[in-house]
């Protein structure tokens, strides 16, 4: 789970995240850009973009570059759909999942003629209604489904707080998690936004993340994210206990080695003393015998 600094761009990997994390943003519905009924579709691979998150994308495919050049002068909003098979270089509509995220292009940085970095912010879920163009890039008519919120209740509030507390604890136990992650999570007051921030950071496969993106029932989505967070938290807690046990046991083992060495030294000293006494007695006996022989 993360909000890490941008990593070095990976060559030959088009429309992949240039950094490993997502940054949550409070979505103000009154300021959300209008999402057109028709969107240019940018295929992405190996990850899923959720609403309310910001992520850098490394774009290199010719069709994707053409999409940015033709679309951005008209609108800054594009559609992001995850590929079913990330190895496909020229995916068709059948190669894409049917639910994705409408995203706002915040910044475009042209690295070279055939390499562009774009920073996008996820806005809303969308579903494909109809493909209207496939060349030179995909365009589609879309629907914007509404999320289903549960009625306010103490139980729902407790469910939300439990997820937030579990997520904070998990980030605290994650060695490579950014320091500001805890504060970011604690500042999220909307259960849906919290679930959508945590989902892309979970250590689960693409199909499971897509299931969370497709789930419109916010209560079901929050509970599903809670299950994944709880499972990862349990593993992190076991790892922490094992590390503590190792730190406690190593000094004990060192002490045991010292004790063994000391006892060996003591045993050797005792043996040497006994040998010295025997040698002394033997010498005395020889001297006495010589004296007796002289007298005789």
């Amino acid at each position: 789970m993360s909000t890490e600094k941008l990593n070095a761009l990976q060559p030959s990997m088009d429309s992949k995240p240039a950094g490993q994390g997502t940054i949550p943003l409070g979505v103000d519905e009154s300021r959300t850009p209008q999402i057109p009924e028709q969107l240019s579709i940018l295929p992405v691979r190996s990850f899923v973009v959720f609403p309310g998150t910001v992520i850098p994308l490394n774009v290199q495919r010719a069709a994707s570059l053409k999409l940015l050049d033709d679309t951005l002068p008209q609108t800054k909003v594009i559609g992001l759909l995850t590929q079913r098979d990330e190895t496909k270089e020229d995916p068709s509509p059948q190669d894409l999942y049917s639910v994705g995220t409408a995203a706002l292009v915040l910044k475009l940085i042209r690295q070279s003629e055939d390499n562009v970095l774009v920073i996008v912010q996820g806005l809303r879920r969308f579903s494909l209604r109809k493909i209207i163009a496939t060349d030179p890039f995909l365009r589609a008519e879309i629907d914007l489904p509404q999320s289903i919120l549960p009625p306010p209740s103490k139980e729902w509030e407790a469910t939300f707080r439990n997820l937030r507390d579990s997520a904070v604890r998990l980030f605290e136990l994650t060695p490579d998690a950014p320091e500001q992650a805890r504060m970011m999570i604690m500042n999220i007051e909307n259960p849906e936004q919290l679930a959508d921030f945590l989902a892309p950071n979970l250590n689960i496969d693409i199909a499971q993340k897509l299931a969370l993106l497709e789930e419109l029932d916010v209560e079901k989505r929050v509970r599903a994210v809670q299950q994944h967070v709880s499972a990862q938290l349990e593993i992190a807690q076991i790892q922490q206990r094992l590390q503590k046990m190792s730190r406690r046991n190593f000094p004990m083992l060192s002490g045991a080695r010292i004790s063994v060495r000391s006892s060996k030294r003591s045993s050797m000293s005792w043996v040497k003393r006994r040998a010295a006494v025997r040698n002394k007695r033997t010498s005395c006996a020889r001297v006495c015998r010589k004296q007796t022989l002289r007298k005789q």
Side-chain angles (χ1 to χ4, degrees):
M1 308 182 72
S2 41
T3 309
E4 301 169 353
K5 297 178 181 178
L6 298 184
N7 296 329
L9 298 182
Q10 303 175 14
S12 303
M13 298 302 284
D14 180 57
S15 300
K16 291 202 71 174
Q20 288 294 321
T22 54
I23 304 172
L25 291 181
V27 179
D28 186 348
E29 294 292 341
S30 63
R31 296 184 181 181
T32 299
Q34 183 175 0
I35 299 174
E37 291 186 2
Q38 297 181 0
L39 287 180
S40 298
I41 304 299
L42 179 67
V44 296
R45 44 187 173 185
S46 301
F47 70 103
V48 181
V49 177
F50 280 75
T53 60
V54 171
I55 189 168
L57 302 178
N58 186 16
V59 180
Q60 293 183 353
R61 283 186 286 209
S64 298
L65 294 170
K66 177 68 172 173
L67 179 152
L68 295 174
D69 290 340
D70 290 0
T71 303
L72 295 186
Q74 308 299 324
T75 177
K76 304 299 183 190
V77 180
I78 60 176
L80 304 177
L81 286 178
T82 302
Q83 293 183 203
R84 296 180 184 275
D85 182 358
E86 66 177 58
T87 62
K88 289 276 183 124
E89 289 298 326
D90 187 18
S92 65
Q94 292 73 28
D95 297 320
L96 304 175
Y97 287 95
S98 60
V99 175
T101 299
L104 176 67
V105 177
L106 300 175
K107 191 172 184 178
L108 184 147
I109 304 172
R110 196 171 294 277
Q111 306 287 328
S112 64
E113 185 177 346
D114 57 354
N115 190 347
V116 170
L117 176 70
V118 291
I119 313 297
V120 299
Q121 175 191 351
L123 298 175
R124 282 192 60 179
R125 288 166 170 77
F126 75 85
S127 59
L128 288 178
R129 183 196 309 160
K130 180 182 178 183
I131 299 294
I132 59 176
T134 57
D135 188 64
F137 50 83
L138 291 175
R139 284 186 57 80
E141 294 180 356
I142 64 163
D143 293 316
L144 297 174
Q146 294 291 334
S147 295
I148 304 170
L149 293 170
S153 66
K154 292 181 179 179
E155 181 181 357
W156 174 236
E157 179 68 19
T159 300
F160 163 62
R161 291 181 181 275
N162 185 48
L163 174 59
R164 189 168 60 182
D165 292 345
S166 298
V168 168
R169 180 61 176 154
L170 178 57
F171 271 81
E172 290 175 345
L173 294 177
T174 303
D176 58 347
E179 295 181 2
Q180 66 270 34
R182 181 180 179 279
M183 291 303 301
M184 292 165 59
I185 295 173
M186 293 303 297
N187 288 332
I188 299 176
E189 297 293 339
N190 183 298
E192 183 174 18
Q193 290 178 12
L194 178 62
D196 285 346
F197 166 61
L198 295 175
N201 292 287
L202 293 172
N203 187 24
I204 56 178
D205 59 34
I206 295 298
Q208 290 174 300
K209 290 182 180 181
L210 256 299
L212 293 173
L213 184 67
E214 294 170 354
E215 181 57 71
L216 297 180
D217 189 315
V218 176
E219 183 174 6
K220 290 182 180 179
R221 194 189 316 158
V222 167
R223 293 187 185 280
V225 172
Q226 175 69 71
Q227 289 181 349
H228 293 302
V229 169
S230 296
Q232 291 182 210
L233 179 57
E234 184 178 0
I235 294 173
Q237 289 172 334
I238 292 173
Q239 290 176 327
Q240 185 188 49
R241 287 198 296 270
L242 292 175
Q243 290 170 359
K244 287 182 178 179
M245 289 173 61
S246 297
R247 285 194 293 268
R248 286 198 303 266
N249 289 338
F250 279 129
M252 292 174 64
L253 290 175
S254 299
R257 293 192 190 102
I258 293 172
S259 298
V260 169
R261 288 172 186 165
S262 299
S263 62
K264 285 182 178 179
R265 288 172 184 168
S266 299
S267 298
M268 290 174 66
S269 298
W270 183 81
V271 170
K272 288 179 179 179
R273 287 197 300 270
R274 294 284 294 178
V277 170
R278 288 197 203 97
N279 291 337
K280 190 173 183 180
R281 289 176 179 174
T282 302
S283 298
C284 291
R286 287 174 181 170
V287 171
C288 292
R289 190 177 300 113
K290 287 179 180 180
Q291 291 176 352
T292 301
L293 290 173
R294 285 174 186 169
K295 290 178 181 180
Q296 293 175 347

